Amino acid sequence: MTSFRWWQRGTIYQVYPRSFMDSNGDGVGDLPGLIARLDYLRWLGIDAVWCSPIYPSPMKDFGYDVSDYTDVDPLFGTLADFDQLVAEAHNRALKLVLDFVPNHTSDEHAWFRESRSSRDDPKRDWYIWRDPAPGGGPPNNWLSCFGGSAWQFDERTGQYYYHAFLKEQPDLNWRSPEVVEAMLGVLRFWLDRGVDGFRVDVLWHLVKDDQFRDNPPNPAWREGMDPYQRVIPLFTTDRPEVHGIVRRMRALFDEYRDRVLIGEIYLPVERLVQYYGPDLRGANLPFNFQLISARWDASHLERLVDEYEAALPEGAWPNWVLGNHDQHRIATRVGGAQARVAAMLLLTLRGTPTLYYGDEIGMHDVAIPPDRVHDPFEKNVPGRGLGRDPERTPMQWSARDNAGFTAGTPWLPIASDFTSANVAVERGDPRSILTLYHQLIAMRRGEAALEVGRFEPVRVEGDVLAYVRRSRKDESDFLVALNLGSRPHALRGLGNSSRGTIALSTHLDRVGETVGEELALRADEGVIVRLAP
Ligand code: ISL
C-alpha cells in the first residue's frame, strides 16, 4: 500500500482563481481569497489543488496568455502571497499544482517582443515564423482553435507567425533548444518554490510539423460545427517529437521528490496513453477526458471504461476528469439528479479523480447576457455554445450578497439559485450534493478497494452500470451500481457480488440496509454496497 503516491490515492480539485474567492472587492478572485478557503478544501477532503494560471497576463485568454512565467499577476496577488499559499496549503496537508502554459506566450511577453523586432533577432526562432505563401496569404491551411487562420501577418518583418489559439498567443518553437532550456528553467523556478506539480496546458500541441504540410480536410465536418474541425489537425498536434519534450519535463520533475506531471491532452484513448511515455517516463497523469464527451448512457460508459482500462500500458496509473473551465458543467450536461450519479462514478472508478470547483455544490452553467461575455472564443465564434464563461461563474459560498464571493461587482454573473445552492447552506443539509461529495471523498480515502483496488466490470442491465472494486488484502470489497435512467430498476442475480450492506446512496439514505441477491435502485440512484466477506 505504501508504494502508492499521493497523486494516485488522492483527489485533485481544480480552482479557477478568477472565480474562486475575491479578497479585495475588485470582483475577481485572488490568492489571498484562495488561502482563506483552504480550510473548506481541507474539510471537503481533497488532496491537491490545481490552480489555473496566476502569472502576469494581459488576460486576453484569462491567464492562458502569459507575459511573464516567473511572477504573479497583481490581479491575483504577489509572489509573497504565493509563498504563503504554498505554506498554508502544506500546513493542511494539501498539495499545490500549478498550471504550466508552454505552447504559447502572450504577444506581450518580452521574448515575443524581441522575436518580432527583426528577422535577425537572436530570439527570432523562439517562435514560428514563415514567409507568406508564394501567391501571398498565409503559409498553409492551419487553423486556430479559436477561429480563423492560425497565421498572423506581421507588417514590420513581412512574415507570418503561428498561433494555435488567439493571435495574442503566439506559439513557442519547441524545436529550439534555447526555448526548451528557458521553459525547463521556468518549471525549476516554481518547483524550487515548493510547487507539488504541474498541469501542462495543451501538451499535445507543443510540436508542429517541420515541413509545414497542410492539414487534411475533415470529411465529417458540417456547416455549423466548430470551424476548427474543418481540417484534421494531423500536422499541428500530437507530433512524434513531442514525446521527447515530455520526457525532458519528467526527468526534471524526477530531480525533485514526489512531484506530479499532468498533461492536458484531448486525444482518442490509444493516442492519449502514449503520453505515459515509453517505460512510463512521460506524464504521470495524461488527463482522461472521456467522461466529458461521453454520452450519458450505461452501455456507452461501460465500453468507454473497458477501452480505457484495456489501453493503459502496464503500470500506468488511470485518472478521470468530470469537468473543467473549458467544458459545460456536469450538472448542465446530465442534469441535477444525474450529477449525483456522476459524482459517485468519478469517485469510485479506478484512478485519480479530478473535480472542478463548484461541481461539488451542483453548480450549473450560467447563461451570460451578450454584454457580459468575456471569453474570446465566444466573441470569435459566437452563438454556437462554444463560449466558456457559463462554466466559469463565481463560486457560491453563501446566501449573502454575491454569494459571498466578492464585496464588489463579480466579473461574471452569479447563478440565480445561489441562495440555496451554496457551501454554507449545503454543508448544513444532510441530503445535499455537497454532503454526498464529502462522504464519497471520505469513503474513498478510508477504503483501499476504492482508492487503489482492482476494477471488475459487472454488467450493464438496462440503464444500470455496475462494477466491483476489490482490494488486494482482506479489506472490504464494494459493488457500485449506478442507475443512469429515470426509472427504478432492480438488479438481480449478482450472487455474492451484491450481498452486503449499503454503504452510501446518492440519495443519502438507506445506509446499513441489507442487500441480498436483489438490489433495488430508485430512479437516478447510485449505491455503493460493502460486500459481505
Ligand atoms: O478549443 C479547443 C478545440 O477547438 C479545445 O479542445 C482546446 O484545445 C482546449 O480547450 C485547450 O485548452 C487549454 O488551452 C487554451 C485555453 O484557452 C484553455 O482554457 C486551456 O484549458 C489555450 O491556452
Side-chain angles (χ1 to χ4, degrees):
M1 286 300 290
T2 49
S3 63
F4 289 96
R5 329 286 326 185
W6 65 265
W7 49 265
Q8 297 177 301
R9 311 183 72 125
T11 300
I12 300 171
Y13 181 98
Q14 180 189 358
V15 164
Y16 193 67
R18 292 184 70 87
S19 299
F20 199 60
M21 182 66 207
D22 176 21
S23 72
N24 62 0
D26 64 0
V28 174
D30 46 42
L31 296 185
L34 170 53
I35 293 169
R37 296 300 187 182
L38 288 175
D39 283 333
Y40 163 71
L41 296 176
R42 173 97 184 119
W43 168 82
L44 183 60
I46 55 110
D47 297 79
V49 177
W50 149 38
C51 187
S52 279
I54 52 165
Y55 316 107
S57 164
M59 301 290 166
K60 292 284 194 277
D61 190 20
F62 299 102
Y64 286 93
D65 48 326
V66 179
S67 52
D68 179 353
Y69 285 106
T70 53
D71 205 346
V72 172
D73 195 284
L75 195 57
F76 295 126
T78 62
L79 268 177
D81 293 328
F82 176 80
D83 290 338
Q84 195 194 340
L85 172 62
V86 174
E88 300 269 3
H90 288 171
N91 279 342
R92 291 165 178 82
L94 293 169
K95 304 285 185 183
L96 182 69
V97 173
L98 282 189
D99 211 309
F100 182 48
V101 190
N103 181 67
H104 42 267
T105 67
S106 159
D107 62 344
E108 292 183 27
H109 195 293
W111 298 342
F112 188 68
R113 288 178 194 274
E114 282 179 51
S115 183
R116 83 189 310 180
S117 68
S118 100
R119 289 197 186 201
D120 308 321
D121 187 86
K123 289 206 168 52
R124 185 66 170 181
D125 80 336
W126 281 40
Y127 294 82
I128 301 171
W129 292 97
R130 298 291 283 175
D131 286 333
N140 63 22
N141 75 348
W142 293 357
L143 295 178
S144 157
C145 293
F146 288 156
S149 170
W151 294 100
Q152 177 67 23
F153 189 64
D154 197 51
E155 295 285 345
R156 187 161 13 165
T157 55
Q159 284 189 311
Y160 283 86
Y161 64 86
Y162 175 76
H163 58 92
F165 295 90
L166 298 175
K167 67 179 186 341
E168 293 88 356
Q169 293 169 298
D171 278 44
L172 282 163
N173 173 21
W174 277 83
R175 293 180 186 274
S176 153
E178 288 175 25
V179 166
V180 175
E181 287 314 316
M183 292 301 274
L184 292 178
V186 168
L187 289 172
R188 210 180 275 284
F189 174 88
W190 295 104
L191 291 167
D192 286 341
R193 278 196 121 84
V195 164
D196 298 291
F198 282 90
R199 170 269 192 188
V200 184
D201 192 58
V202 296
L203 187 55
W204 84 113
H205 271 262
L206 290 196
V207 184
K208 291 69 161 158
D209 183 39
D210 53 357
Q211 298 168 53
F212 295 88
R213 284 170 280 187
D214 270 353
N215 276 325
N218 176 4
W221 192 82
R222 297 284 173 275
E223 207 55 59
M225 281 173 63
D226 180 351
Y228 174 68
Q229 289 173 21
R230 233 175 220 280
V231 294
I232 295 169
L234 180 66
F235 293 115
T236 40
T237 60
D238 196 30
R239 302 305 300 162
E241 297 94 326
V242 73
H243 295 289
I245 292 169
V246 181
R247 202 185 171 90
R248 290 286 305 273
M249 289 181 186
R250 172 64 186 278
L252 172 63
F253 280 53
D254 285 350
E255 290 174 27
Y256 295 79
R257 270 196 64 228
D258 229 10
R259 312 294 164 105
V260 69
L261 174 56
I262 304 172
E264 186 212 21
I265 303 154
Y266 284 91
L267 283 176
V269 163
E270 49 314 334
R271 316 281 293 275
L272 172 69
V273 297
Q274 301 300 317
Y275 285 76
Y276 284 104
D279 309 322
L280 305 182
R281 307 304 300 163
N284 299 114
L285 301 174
F287 260 155
N288 167 18
F289 295 125
Q290 289 186 96
L291 293 179
I292 287 178
S293 46
R295 216 174 50 240
W296 208 247
D297 160 299
S299 45
H300 178 68
L301 288 178
E302 179 187 52
R303 198 165 49 242
L304 161 167
V305 175
D306 278 357
E307 281 169 7
Y308 180 62
E309 284 276 347
L312 284 173
E314 175 84 32
W317 188 255
N319 77 89
W320 297 93
V321 182
L322 207 52
N324 63 40
H325 64 294
D326 298 328
Q327 307 289 344
H328 298 304
R329 282 193 180 268
I330 182 69
T332 296
R333 299 195 322 261
V334 303
Q338 282 294 320
R340 288 173 176 250
V341 177
M344 188 169 275
L345 175 69
L346 176 73
L347 287 151
T348 56
L349 281 171
R350 189 176 81 93
T352 307
T354 298
L355 49 118
Y356 182 50
Y357 87 91
D359 281 351
E360 78 276 22
I361 53 169
M363 280 177 69
H364 51 75
D365 280 11
V366 174
I368 309 293
D371 62 328
R372 293 197 71 179
V373 168
H374 279 71
D375 185 16
F377 198 9
E378 178 66 30
K379 290 182 181 171
N380 287 357
V381 191
R384 298 192 196 178
L386 297 172
R388 301 165 297 176
D389 294 327
E391 62 264 21
R392 296 178 176 178
T393 61
M395 179 68 175
Q396 296 149 207
W397 294 105
S398 70
R400 309 236 300 267
D401 285 355
N402 296 316
F405 163 72
T406 181
T409 307
W411 76 287
L412 282 175
I414 289 172
S416 53
D417 61 354
F418 81 88
T419 50
S420 53
N422 66 61
V423 170
V425 166
E426 292 189 30
R427 264 181 90 154
D429 175 358
R431 297 282 166 89
S432 70
I433 185 168
L434 179 58
T435 300
L436 174 65
Y437 264 100
H438 185 235
Q439 294 191 11
L440 279 167
I441 295 169
M443 196 173 158
R444 184 182 171 94
R445 183 195 296 286
E447 298 290 351
L450 294 175
E451 246 184 8
V452 295
R454 288 203 309 277
F455 174 89
E456 288 174 11
V458 174
R459 68 178 189 213
V460 165
E461 218 182 81
D463 287 329
V464 179
L465 174 67
Y467 44 89
V468 170
R469 298 296 313 280
R470 233 177 259 293
S471 81
R472 307 165 166 209
K473 305 228 182 68
D474 41 4
E475 285 126 311
S476 298
D477 297 341
F478 294 89
L479 168 70
V480 181
L482 306 171
N483 187 354
L484 275 72
S486 49
R487 278 191 305 259
H489 186 98
L491 278 182
R492 290 196 186 87
L494 294 184
N496 284 340
S497 290
S498 64
R499 253 187 279 271
T501 51
I502 291 183
L504 191 56
S505 157
T506 49
H507 295 28
L508 294 162
D509 50 13
R510 296 181 75 177
V511 173
E513 197 180 291
T514 306
V515 181
E517 297 243 335
E518 175 175 315
L519 171 57
L521 293 172
R522 289 166 286 177
D524 303 304
E525 183 182 27
V527 299
I528 304 177
V529 179
R530 184 186 297 272
L531 296 177

